Amino acid sequence: DTENMDEDTKKILQKYNHCHMKIYTFNQSRYLRINKESLLPKAKNVSFSGENTEAWYPPSHGDIYASFYNSGFLDTFIGEGKEYIFVSNIDNLGAKVDLYILNHLTKPPNGKPCEFVMEVTNKTRADVKGGTLTQYEGKLRLVEIAQVPKAHVNEFKSVSKFKICNTNNLWISLAAVKRLQEQNAIDMEIIVNPKTLDGGLNVIQLETAVEVAIKSFENSLGINVPRSRFLPVKTTSDLLLVMSNLYGLNAGSLTMSEKWEFPTVPLVKLGSPFMKVQDYLRRFESIPDMLELDHLTVSGDVTFGKNVSLKGTVIIIANHGDRIDIPPGAVLENKIVSGNLRILDQ
């Protein structure tokens, strides 16, 4: 619900009232969910409350162009002489303003103003499904896995054939957004997203994605950026990595510890008891030392005491009905811990 999120966002932003910067917020659009069987709107009328609360949905981040324009902020910022916006996914903790890219935009080497930059990064096994850039009819286009015929999916996932993936860190010309929005010329494919509501009703949501519009802008660019600018936190497994001593905060930016000497981060797989953030936090008295970890798999009812150290490959499996408590100060290096608390060397 966009209104609930707006209220929650404003509460958090109050913490930053003392900062010397202005933070603006605006709501995105609401669209009507469609009953999958009847293909009619779920809503009985246009109210947003009562039984209609579930009838509306936010149509994903492709809506930023229309909502930004309709909010009035687009015209305000253009009037103040601002030229570009930097857009990133909220879960990408590596996204921040990069003055090198901004400098490239304001002083393009070929003299042609660039209206849209997509930051891409080298693909790893963790993001083989990520969208990639192609050139078609003289324009850059984003190709997503959903658009690829089944026979070519493995080819698309190939790290050697398609070496880059989209980070969704985007730099977009404000003047271009205004021009294209007024001409109704922002071209984005519709994503049909089927959902089942809590009551069991199957509905369809029609959504769009912000990055797909790259083909509507002039002189678009892809810029290959370091992996440090792409740090999506979508699961508690990702959260464990960024809360660990692999990362630190430096002037408000998340930076990799200098003690970590490898090109990619450890592989972490936490099981379903860790899925919700409050459950995940309850299961760690403190976040383990992970500076020498390669791989961690945790399955079942497991808790970690304070000051645990994980090294090499660690697999912890509590069988159904069993619980495993890793004791405070434990050092697990290349260990399998099984349901009856046997600790085995690998």
Side-chain angles (χ1 to χ4, degrees):
D1 185 308
T2 47
E3 267 186 19
N4 286 350
M5 284 182 68
D6 191 47
E7 286 166 23
D8 291 345
T9 303
K10 282 176 176 163
K11 278 179 197 164
I12 288 168
L13 291 179
Q14 281 175 355
K15 287 200 265 181
Y16 300 94
N17 282 345
H18 65 283
C19 294
H20 300 293
M21 61 178 168
K22 179 85 176 117
I23 300 174
Y24 302 86
T25 64
F26 59 92
N27 266 336
Q28 72 171 112
S29 309
R30 295 179 212 240
Y31 282 15
L32 283 162
R33 285 184 168 133
I34 298 165
N35 182 319
K36 195 176 178 184
E37 306 307 318
S38 67
L39 297 183
L40 293 171
K42 182 184 182 300
K44 302 286 187 289
N45 54 52
V46 293
S47 88
F48 298 138
S49 55
E51 62 176 331
N52 265 0
T53 309
E54 272 200 327
W56 302 88
Y57 70 97
S60 202
H61 48 54
D63 183 55
I64 187 172
Y65 304 107
S67 289
F68 189 31
Y69 179 85
N70 293 335
S71 72
F73 288 139
L74 178 61
D75 282 336
T76 300
F77 295 154
I78 289 172
E80 291 172 355
K82 295 181 170 73
E83 295 177 37
Y84 287 92
I85 49 167
F86 174 60
V87 179
S88 67
N89 286 6
I90 196 166
D91 61 34
N92 181 5
L93 301 191
K96 58 183 177 181
V97 169
D98 184 289
L99 297 181
Y100 292 109
I101 296 175
L102 197 55
N103 190 47
H104 187 87
L105 285 168
T106 54
K107 299 171 190 156
N110 60 3
K112 282 184 179 176
C114 172
E115 293 186 346
F116 194 108
V117 163
M118 175 185 289
E119 293 184 30
V120 293
T121 193
N122 290 353
K123 201 188 257 198
T124 69
R125 283 175 303 173
D127 32 48
V128 289
K129 294 180 180 179
T132 196
L133 284 176
T134 59
Q135 197 134 14
Y136 181 73
E137 295 181 346
K139 290 270 183 107
L140 278 183
R141 289 187 178 230
L142 184 76
V143 178
E144 299 275 16
I145 194 163
Q147 298 168 287
V148 178
K150 275 185 181 167
H152 294 280
V153 163
N154 283 342
E155 203 178 336
F156 177 84
K157 287 181 177 178
S158 160
V159 178
S160 54
K161 183 150 194 171
F162 294 99
K163 295 182 172 64
I164 56 164
C165 69
N166 167 33
T167 65
N168 238 17
N169 294 348
L170 309 171
W171 302 74
I172 309 172
S173 155
L174 294 176
V177 173
K178 183 174 168 72
R179 181 189 80 237
L180 292 169
Q181 191 61 36
E182 289 179 346
Q183 294 171 354
N184 196 24
I186 295 181
D187 183 14
M188 294 177 286
E189 285 84 4
I190 302 292
I191 301 157
V192 179
N193 186 2
K195 290 237 170 185
T196 303
L197 302 183
D198 288 344
L201 181 70
N202 291 322
V203 294
I204 292 170
Q205 297 184 180
L206 302 179
E207 301 176 1
T208 54
V210 58
E211 68 275 21
V212 172
I214 187 170
K215 61 181 178 291
S216 302
F217 291 83
E218 296 299 319
N219 299 316
S220 300
L221 274 182
I223 294 182
N224 198 335
V225 297
R227 191 78 195 177
S228 57
R229 291 186 62 74
F230 185 51
L231 195 59
V233 177
K234 295 183 185 294
T235 64
T236 50
S237 300
D238 301 330
L239 188 59
L240 182 61
L241 285 170
V242 299
M243 287 178 73
S244 77
N245 54 350
L246 293 172
Y247 292 93
L249 271 179
N250 181 12
S253 294
L254 206 59
T255 50
M256 181 67 81
S257 165
E258 289 174 3
K259 294 176 184 173
W260 182 255
E261 298 167 2
F262 304 99
T264 57
V265 294
L267 189 62
V268 171
K269 294 179 183 173
L270 300 178
S272 54
F274 290 80
M275 194 178 288
K276 292 188 173 169
V277 172
Q278 68 254 37
D279 294 336
Y280 152 88
L281 290 171
R282 192 171 46 78
R283 291 178 177 277
F284 289 99
E285 276 192 60
S286 70
I287 302 298
D289 171 352
M290 294 166 60
L291 278 173
E292 294 177 49
L293 180 69
D294 294 325
H295 177 128
L296 172 68
T297 294
V298 182
S299 175
D301 186 359
V302 178
T303 62
F304 292 80
K306 278 191 176 168
N307 304 322
V308 170
S309 189
L310 304 172
K311 302 180 180 189
T313 297
V314 177
I315 299 168
I316 304 167
I317 300 170
N319 297 328
H320 185 67
D322 288 334
R323 174 171 155 175
I324 293 178
D325 297 313
I326 304 298
V331 177
L332 299 180
E333 183 169 3
N334 294 324
K335 293 278 190 284
I336 299 172
V337 182
S338 70
N340 50 10
L341 261 182
R342 277 181 307 150
I343 296 183
L344 306 173
D345 283 319
Q346 284 200 333

